[in-house]
């Protein structure tokens, strides 16, 4: 992702030193791309943009799918992640279960320059295993997306070490471990750089 809003795709499979982009996606993003995450498993990429949006695009053809404004005007979306929530739902019984042959849940997690973190559930077509391009976000206008507590500084890093968990890190030196395996998100552990240096 680039400051001019373009995405360049490079192929490092060849043996020469020609690192020119194999594809260039342009015109989809209105502002600088600050972070990007690619999720081949469900066929999407997502960008965090300077104007506060999480924007989805297809990994198949680079086409823009949809964006969602998450932060107040002037607050950038700084980091982004696609995570498997580790939740499977028995759609016949409408209950949460731990079996693996049912509908899994995916989310976009986006951290802002203001320390806030938002989570947007995704609609995944279970027959194809890919995001529903016509209705990618499983949210409505009144759906709360912000998870608490917020960080004290910009959320500069997001990572998911395993299904159902993700970790956020901020410029203030704190990190938090979040559990999303039961549908809701809860903070299960927090630490700061000052706590780590005292041990």
């Amino acid at each position: 992702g680039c400051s001019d809003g373009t995405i360049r795709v490079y192929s490092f499979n060849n043996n020469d030193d020609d690192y020119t982009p194999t594809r260039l996606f342009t015109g989809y993003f209105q502002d600088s791309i600050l972070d990007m995450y690619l999720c081949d498993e469900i066929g999407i990429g997502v960008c965090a943009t300077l104007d506060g949006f999480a924007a989805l695009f297809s990994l198949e053809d680079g086409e823009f799918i949809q964006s969602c404004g998450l932060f107040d005007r002037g607050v950038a979306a700084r980091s982004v992640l696609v995570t498997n929530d580790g939740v499977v739902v028995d759609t016949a019984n409408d209950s949460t279960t731990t079996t693996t042959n049912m509908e899994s849940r995916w989310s976009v997690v986006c951290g802002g320059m203001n320390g806030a973190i938002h989570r947007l559930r995704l609609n995944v077509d279970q027959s194809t295993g890919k995001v529903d391009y016509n209705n990618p976000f499983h949210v409505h206008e009144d759906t709360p997306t912000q998870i608490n507590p917020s960080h004290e500084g910009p959320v500069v890093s997001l990572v998911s070490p395993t299904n159902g968990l993700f970790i956020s890190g901020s410029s203030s030196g704190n990190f938090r471990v979040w559990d999303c395996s039961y549908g809701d998100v809860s903070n299960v552990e927090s630490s700061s750089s000052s706590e780590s240096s005292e041990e």
Side-chain angles (χ1 to χ4, degrees):
C2 305
S3 62
D4 63 359
T6 60
I7 296 173
R8 292 175 171 85
V9 180
Y10 295 86
S11 174
F12 294 105
N13 294 331
N14 52 16
N15 293 327
D16 59 15
D17 291 332
D18 180 21
Y19 298 122
T20 57
T22 56
R23 290 193 293 176
L24 181 66
F25 305 146
T26 60
Y28 304 126
F29 306 101
Q30 301 297 317
D31 215 328
S32 300
I33 297 170
L34 301 182
D35 194 21
M36 180 172 28
Y37 189 89
L38 307 178
C39 185
D40 191 47
E41 194 167 348
I42 57 173
I44 62 163
V46 61
C47 295
T49 63
L50 187 62
D51 55 0
F53 283 80
L56 299 180
F57 63 95
S58 166
L59 290 182
E60 186 175 315
D61 57 14
E63 288 295 316
F64 172 78
I65 299 170
Q66 188 173 340
S67 62
C68 188
L70 299 171
F71 301 97
D72 293 334
R73 185 176 174 90
V75 177
R78 175 57 184 87
S79 53
V80 71
L81 170 72
V82 176
T83 181
N84 183 322
D85 295 342
V87 176
V88 290
V89 176
D90 181 345
T91 53
N93 296 323
D94 199 30
S95 62
T96 302
T97 181
T98 56
T99 59
T100 57
N101 59 348
M102 301 186 187
E103 180 181 334
S104 61
R105 298 278 172 93
W106 293 82
S107 295
V108 168
V109 179
C110 190
M113 290 297 286
N114 62 353
I117 300 173
H118 290 267
R119 174 183 175 229
L120 301 164
R121 283 199 176 141
L122 293 169
N123 288 320
V124 176
D125 182 333
Q126 295 305 305
S127 63
T128 65
K130 304 298 182 187
V131 168
D132 177 357
Y133 289 179
N134 295 318
N135 185 24
F137 295 116
H138 188 74
V139 294
H140 309 285
E141 282 187 30
D142 58 346
T143 303
T145 61
Q146 185 170 334
I147 59 176
N148 291 306
S150 293
H151 281 281
E152 292 179 15
V155 182
V156 295
S157 182
L158 291 165
V159 65
S160 179
T162 188
N163 291 353
L165 291 176
F166 68 91
I167 301 169
S168 59
S170 78
S171 65
S172 62
N174 295 324
F175 75 86
R176 294 197 173 116
V177 179
W178 304 88
D179 182 353
C180 54
S181 61
Y182 295 101
D184 293 327
V185 178
S186 59
N187 183 207
V188 293
E189 184 177 340
S190 298
S191 183
S192 69
S193 58
S194 61
E195 290 173 6
S196 300
S197 63
E198 291 171 5
E199 295 177 353

